[in-house]
Amino acid sequence: MPAVARTTAQFNKSQTIFSQGDPADSVSLIQSGTVKITITNKQGKEAVIALLEAGDFVGEGCISNGSPLRMTTASAMEPATLLVIQKKEMLRALHEDKDFAERFIAYMLKRNLRVEADLVDQLFNSTEKRLARSLLLLAQYGKEGKPDTVISSISQETLAEMVGTTRSRINFFMNKFRKLGFIHYNGTMQIHSSLLNVVLHE
């Protein structure tokens, strides 16, 4: 990372990093831990729209010319360490450091592609496929050629919010995946590459 003025912030499990409606005045880079991004509608219904990990940015929307307020809520799913960069400092770095700007733009393009893929997933795929895809994404399937990946335990309520369904439906499909040998969980969860069959199957 270039010479950017930043501070380090520590967050405990379930602690809020920022809330929807807060001033959008900084960008954070996750050093460790997992951060959950949620949005709440006027009726109070909450949806999980992203789970971010080390190397991801949080709150990057503040550098746009849009709303001066946070549009989402960010909270730590486990103890997390973030580098906090104030908005003015982030804009300065993007203007003055070409390499940093290129890396950040590449990151944002990747995030946009993920958002588009999530939207297509919600519109056209079944609950079972959406759950399988979410689990594979959480396990970072395909990275470093790992066929089976262990992830931290995640609640069925959070999975339901991510997939856009009820907890009972998540429970039904999780039990189905476990019986078929696609996943194993006992404190932690092991995602097998065979789960990809659910996503690919028509």
Side-chain angles (χ1 to χ4, degrees):
M1 192 171 182
V4 179
R6 69 265 196 187
T7 57
T8 301
Q10 306 279 347
F11 296 90
N12 297 320
K13 182 178 179 179
S14 300
Q15 186 175 354
T16 299
I17 297 167
F18 58 74
S19 297
Q20 192 171 332
D22 285 352
D25 55 7
S26 64
V27 181
S28 296
L29 178 65
I30 304 174
Q31 282 194 304
S32 64
T34 304
V35 174
K36 178 173 69 173
I37 306 297
T38 59
I39 190 167
T40 305
N41 66 14
K42 293 181 180 180
Q43 290 72 42
K45 184 177 180 180
E46 184 181 89
V48 177
I49 60 174
L51 293 181
L52 306 178
E53 300 179 325
D56 290 336
F57 287 92
V58 181
E60 67 279 359
C62 79
I63 64 174
S64 71
N65 293 322
S67 172
L69 303 178
R70 302 287 191 191
M71 298 180 66
T72 59
T73 295
S75 57
M77 291 190 67
E78 58 189 5
T81 302
L82 277 67
L83 294 179
V84 183
I85 308 167
Q86 293 304 307
K87 178 179 178 178
K88 287 184 178 179
E89 178 65 9
M90 186 70 178
L91 289 171
R92 182 199 65 76
L94 289 173
H95 281 101
E96 297 180 6
D97 191 315
K98 181 181 177 181
D99 290 339
F100 177 64
E102 288 179 350
R103 290 200 301 271
F104 184 74
I105 290 171
Y107 169 80
M108 290 303 299
L109 288 172
K110 184 179 178 181
R111 278 282 296 275
N112 284 342
L113 288 173
R114 168 70 185 278
V115 170
E116 289 179 4
D118 287 346
L119 179 59
V120 170
D121 191 42
Q122 287 287 339
L123 290 174
F124 298 109
N125 287 334
S126 66
T127 299
E128 184 176 15
K129 281 190 177 182
R130 297 201 307 272
L131 175 58
R133 179 175 176 271
S134 294
L135 291 171
L136 288 166
L137 287 171
L138 286 171
Q140 298 184 327
Y141 174 78
K143 282 194 175 183
E144 301 177 9
K146 294 180 180 179
D148 302 328
T149 307
V150 175
I151 62 174
S152 300
S153 180
I154 183 170
S155 71
Q156 292 190 356
E157 288 82 359
T158 297
L159 285 172
E161 291 170 354
M162 291 177 64
V163 173
T165 189
T166 62
R167 183 187 176 281
S168 61
R169 292 288 286 168
I170 293 295
N171 185 59
F172 172 80
F173 287 118
M174 290 292 282
N175 285 331
K176 178 180 177 180
F177 292 166
R178 182 165 59 176
K179 288 177 182 177
L180 291 171
F182 295 155
I183 63 173
H184 291 92
Y185 52 92
N186 183 16
T188 59
M189 188 184 305
Q190 187 173 28
I191 310 298
H192 298 287
S193 58
S194 56
L195 183 61
L196 189 63
N197 294 327
V198 177
V199 178
L200 297 178
H201 180 70
E202 293 296 337

